[in-house]
Amino acid sequence: MSGSPPPVPPPEEMREIFRAMTLIRRFEERAAEEYMAGRVGGFLHLAIGEEAAIVGTVSALRPDDPLTSTYREHGQALARGTDPRAIMAELLGRATGICGGRGGSMHLMDIERSFYGGYGIVGGSVPLALGLAWAARYSGTDRVSVTMFGEGAAGQGVVSECFNMAGLWDLPIVFLILNNQYSMGTPVERAAAVEDFYPRAAAYDIESWKVDGMDVLAVRAALSEAARLARDERRPACVELLAYRYKGHSMSDPDTVRAAEEKERWKARDPLVTFERVLLGEGIIDADAIAAMQAEVDEVVDDATTFARESPEVPVSELADDVYAQPWNDDPRGSALMRP
Ligand SMILES: Cc1ncc(C[n+]2csc(CCOP(=O)(O)OP(=O)(O)O)c2C)c(N)n1
């Protein structure tokens, strides 16, 4: 890292960071309940435990910096300001969802907020982010493209190709490796010859470092510096965050691989609890204000859930709409099945 460290956020922003982390946690807990009740179709990947990584990152960016993520992206959308109603409705496959109910949990996208999406293909959003970085440079803006992906995704060949192109062409991109130490159920030590991932980017002349992904202020500081490098110096950067997700890979994963003691050890470093301690210790918030904020967040989540449940489902006749940018007018296979 170079340059002077970014200033600690002012109290109002510290409280906003805490609220955003709380909203993500509560929203995901409710999403899990909706899944268990059979109201969420398809997969549901929760990021509980990764709130500091998400909010620390988003809070360090400008709202117009393009951001891409993986299939574990409810938190990124919430942190970017997407309406919780539209996210919950998307999970429930409703027409009022942010992608009209067709994308589901893995494919939230909110272009208005420069959130270029969740992505189901492991590593697939990284070249997309590289293209967004290229577009930012080509069109003369000072936007920084940021892509979050897992340590498992870091093993995809395309990620190395993107490191190389970013290093070669000095693209304004930040590669954010969210190392939660498992890809599905495979522990990092069984999948990677070297358990640190940031040196892979360093090999392509990209400034890279690793920070504690459970500490929201550490994440925010690292991302501020990475974004500064990309924005002001037009140099790519890579940050690896060491973190943990408390839940299994997705809601359908019984999560029997990881030892209970390991999970408990990481829960002792819960990013919400540790940040709350910081805020209380520094007199930035008090117990009453925390209770009021939590009640307000619960209301937001209740409202989003009610809205989603009461929204209409996507009619079957519209299922093929918006799948292609242009309307589907052709019938190349001559099959009536191709038409709804
Ligand atoms: C190209 C591709 N290969 C395999 C899969 C199946 N798959 C889904 S998630 C996953 C593991 C990804 O792990 P990681 O990148 O560490 O992210 P995490 O789920 O831990 O957040 C795999 C192999 C996929 N979706 N896409």
Side-chain angles (χ1 to χ4, degrees):
M1 270 216 266
S2 56
S4 49
V8 174
E12 183 52 40
E13 205 177 331
M14 296 272 265
R15 287 191 287 269
E16 186 42 45
I17 287 171
F18 186 51
R19 180 190 177 275
M21 290 165 70
T22 306
L23 174 63
I24 294 170
R25 173 73 57 94
R26 296 281 224 254
F27 184 95
E28 291 221 311
E29 287 168 349
R30 183 63 58 81
E33 288 166 23
E34 292 301 290
Y35 180 93
M36 293 309 283
R39 282 188 281 270
V40 176
F43 288 98
L44 185 74
H45 304 85
L46 301 177
I48 294 179
E50 297 180 355
E51 294 88 351
I54 297 165
V55 177
T57 298
V58 173
S59 73
L61 306 179
R62 262 187 3 207
D64 63 340
D65 288 332
L67 176 69
T68 70
S69 182
T70 67
Y71 41 80
R72 203 181 294 289
E73 88 290 21
H74 313 139
Q76 282 85 346
L78 286 166
R80 259 294 156 95
T82 303
D83 185 349
R85 285 179 156 198
I87 303 176
M88 193 63 89
E90 190 61 37
L91 304 194
L92 270 62
R94 306 301 164 123
T96 50
I98 187 71
C99 293
R102 293 175 183 78
S105 158
M106 289 198 279
H107 303 113
L108 304 175
M109 178 179 273
D110 189 348
I111 302 297
E112 254 178 61
R113 290 174 182 76
S114 296
F115 181 49
Y116 285 82
Y119 214 81
I121 305 298
V122 170
S125 51
V126 181
L128 187 70
L130 194 86
L132 289 160
W134 175 249
R137 198 179 119 163
Y138 191 76
S139 56
T141 71
D142 67 346
R143 291 182 188 157
V144 171
S145 175
V146 179
T147 179
M148 299 183 79
F149 53 98
E151 85 291 340
Q156 288 288 61
V158 72
V159 174
S160 296
E161 295 177 46
C162 290
F163 287 157
N164 183 53
M165 288 185 194
L168 181 66
W169 294 332
D170 290 331
L171 294 181
I173 183 166
V174 178
F175 298 98
L176 195 69
I177 305 172
L178 207 172
N179 180 357
N180 60 23
Q181 306 165 67
Y182 286 86
S183 50
M184 302 193 92
T186 308
V188 63
E189 64 271 17
R190 293 190 60 187
V194 175
E195 291 173 35
D196 279 334
F197 292 85
Y198 67 98
R200 297 186 187 193
Y204 294 93
D205 197 23
I206 293 173
E207 192 152 339
S208 309
W209 62 99
K210 185 171 183 172
V211 295
D212 179 359
M214 305 299 267
D215 176 345
V216 70
L217 294 182
V219 175
R220 190 177 180 280
L223 261 293
S224 300
E225 171 60 7
R228 187 196 65 75
L229 273 171
R231 198 178 324 277
D232 300 343
E233 297 187 30
R234 298 324 245 180
R235 286 163 58 202
C238 174
V239 180
E240 176 178 348
L241 306 176
L242 187 66
Y244 201 77
R245 63 173 148 74
Y246 300 164
K247 302 285 181 188
H249 172 68
S250 75
M251 283 298 289
S252 58
D253 173 6
D255 193 24
T256 49
V257 172
R258 304 184 298 176
E261 307 79 66
E262 178 183 289
K263 290 182 215 171
E264 289 314 310
R265 214 170 47 244
W266 279 92
K267 280 185 187 169
R269 303 194 49 229
D270 188 302
L272 271 75
V273 174
T274 48
F275 193 50
E276 180 179 310
R277 220 175 280 141
V278 170
L279 295 180
L280 287 169
E282 294 188 8
I284 291 172
I285 204 165
D286 61 22
D288 287 348
I290 290 175
M293 187 270 290
Q294 287 172 338
E296 181 263 327
V297 162
D298 283 342
E299 247 173 63
V300 169
V301 174
D302 282 346
D303 169 71
T305 312
T306 306
F307 172 81
R309 285 192 204 162
E310 290 175 355
S311 290
E313 292 189 339
V314 184
V316 173
S317 61
E318 289 175 17
L319 272 184
D321 290 0
D322 302 326
V323 173
Y324 294 92
Q326 302 293 330
W328 179 270
N329 290 324
D330 208 354
D331 194 357
R333 298 192 192 165
S335 161
L337 289 176
M338 298 296 284
R339 290 179 190 285

